Amino acid sequence: MTSMTISPPNPHDAKLARISSNQLAKLGQQELSFKINGETIILPSSAVQILQRVLSEIAQGHAVAVTPLETQLTTQQAADLIGVSRPHLIKRLEEGEIPFSLIGSHRRIGLEDVLGFKLKLDRLREEALRELVAQAQELRMGYGKNDPVPHPLPDGSMPRNRRSKA
């Protein structure tokens, strides 16, 4: 994978990144021109937006990787990015959920396809979590703002019909 990774920043760099990010955000969608050693450099608005986003992440103390969407990933790289095991990813590939190509006997997956699948998984996870929270609140399981976490009864069952103390 051809990418450029920026390590987590030190506090000084994070502060500079915050200031620069805020200044670039004020520009909106404009080109940016500046001079270095007498040479004028003009950045297209799309590059300014990317730079602003990178600086914003650095300002928050995050490491950043910049990779072209056309990049092809190995199954292990894709699994690591999605946060699943390699065998699980291969199963999803073979079931046709994610497009891939074969280079000899090796599978390669487009970064854009991996990110699309990750977004789909993230949405499914959020939906499942919302359903669990709604069920817990409906069953008054003690997950309200001020409710204590319920403890099992001596027989191992969970208490029912608890009233919120909120």
Side-chain angles (χ1 to χ4, degrees):
M1 173 169 48
T2 308
S3 67
M4 178 182 167
T5 302
I6 300 170
S7 301
N10 61 47
H12 175 72
D13 287 349
K15 181 180 178 182
L16 290 176
R18 187 176 313 103
I19 294 166
S20 299
S21 174
N22 290 337
Q23 290 172 332
L24 287 177
K26 291 176 187 174
L27 291 177
Q29 295 187 2
Q30 296 182 41
E31 292 178 348
L32 174 65
S33 64
F34 53 96
K35 288 192 177 206
I36 297 179
N37 297 331
E39 293 281 331
T40 300
I41 298 172
I42 301 173
L43 296 179
S45 61
S46 57
V48 174
Q49 290 174 323
I50 292 169
L51 181 58
Q52 191 273 327
R53 176 71 189 269
V54 168
L55 288 168
S56 175
E57 292 297 324
I58 292 171
Q60 296 175 50
H62 300 152
V64 176
V66 178
T67 305
L69 284 177
E70 294 77 21
T71 299
Q72 294 289 304
L73 304 177
T74 66
T75 53
Q76 188 62 60
Q77 290 170 327
D80 290 345
L81 182 60
I82 296 170
V84 298
S85 69
R86 185 174 167 275
H88 179 75
L89 175 73
I90 290 172
K91 180 180 176 189
R92 297 292 181 102
L93 293 173
E94 297 300 331
E95 290 176 353
E97 292 186 54
I98 309 169
F100 70 96
S101 58
L102 285 172
I103 311 285
S105 62
H106 300 281
R107 295 174 190 88
R108 293 292 180 262
I109 309 118
L111 176 60
E112 193 166 14
D113 294 323
V114 172
L115 294 175
F117 184 73
K118 182 179 185 322
L119 183 61
K120 177 183 167 185
L121 279 182
D122 290 345
R123 286 182 182 149
L124 290 172
R125 289 173 181 152
E126 285 178 29
E127 183 179 314
L129 183 58
R130 274 194 299 273
E131 287 178 24
L132 288 172
V133 168
Q135 288 175 1
Q137 289 174 343
E138 183 180 307
L139 295 170
R140 299 176 190 234
M141 295 180 68
Y143 296 112
K145 183 177 179 182
N146 298 315
D147 290 340
V149 175
H151 296 285
L153 298 172
D155 67 357
S157 66
M158 295 302 288
R160 295 181 182 255
N161 298 326
R162 293 186 46 170
R163 298 279 177 195
S164 175
K165 295 177 184 176

